[in-house]
Amino acid sequence: DKSDKKMTITERGNMVLRDLGIESEAGSKDLLEVIDWLGKNLDSNANDFPSLKTIFTQLVNEKTPQEGDCKKIKAVEQRVRRTIFQAMVNIASMGIVDCTNPKFDDYASRYFDLAEVYALMRTLEKDEKPQISNSHINSKKFIRTLYIESYK
């Protein structure tokens, strides 16, 4: 029986990414690697949460030990940022359809800056294409929340 088996941090993280509609995005694999790395290197309350630069540098260096390839680190950072933005767009869309949806209610405020989600909702309601450059993406808040939720 599968329900008896304890889920791994990446399995729980993947469930959240699925809920946010970003499971198949390019950066979702990076996000799962980040929370897996955090699970091995942090305590459960995410005290002393490292900078994103530290996390991405460590991940890249573990994969390719030729010290700090800046382009690879930047690429991971950008994939993660775009993936988080896509999750925010998906949540904003969910909020437009039904702002009483428990998933919208839960994810919008815990994973994102609520003001940014509402700004995206207004953009989408005007039938405009949301631009990543017009949005503040708090990657650290998203990753920290994803880690804490997946670590439970």
Side-chain angles (χ1 to χ4, degrees), residues 5-143:
K5 185 181 145 257
K6 191 154 168 49
M7 289 174 71
T8 66
I9 191 169
T10 48
E11 287 170 333
R12 285 191 299 277
N14 202 46
M15 285 174 62
V16 172
L17 299 182
R18 190 175 312 129
D19 279 351
L20 291 168
I22 56 170
E23 182 185 27
S24 60
E25 294 290 321
S28 64
K29 185 174 160 276
D30 296 305
L31 283 166
L32 293 174
E33 287 174 1
V34 165
I35 62 168
D36 187 50
W37 183 87
L38 289 168
K40 293 172 184 160
N41 293 283
L42 272 195
D43 65 10
S44 60
N45 339 316
N47 292 330
D48 301 324
F49 200 82
S51 73
L52 293 182
K53 186 174 178 57
T54 300
I55 297 168
F56 295 143
T57 303
Q58 291 295 325
L59 278 178
V60 169
N61 288 343
E62 281 177 17
K63 280 191 215 167
T64 52
Q66 62 268 27
E67 195 55 38
D69 189 336
C70 284
K71 283 184 179 146
K72 286 182 183 168
I73 295 165
K74 204 78 182 143
V76 170
E77 210 173 311
Q78 283 304 310
R79 275 196 308 271
V80 165
R81 190 174 145 71
R82 282 193 294 268
T83 301
I84 293 171
F85 177 69
Q86 187 56 55
M88 197 160 71
V89 169
N90 294 349
I91 285 297
S93 299
M94 192 184 290
I96 291 170
V97 173
D98 177 12
C99 64
T100 63
N101 180 322
K103 277 189 182 159
F104 170 77
D105 201 37
D106 183 37
Y107 289 125
S109 60
R110 286 188 316 123
Y111 283 84
F112 309 102
D113 294 331
L114 210 47
E116 289 297 321
V117 174
Y118 285 125
L120 264 177
M121 287 167 69
R122 286 190 295 277
T123 301
L124 291 167
E125 283 172 329
K126 290 188 239 168
D127 283 333
E128 293 173 9
K129 187 178 184 329
Q131 300 292 321
I132 194 166
S133 57
N134 298 338
S135 299
H136 169 72
I137 295 153
N138 189 339
S139 299
K140 191 166 186 173
K141 177 179 183 174
F142 183 93
I143 289 170

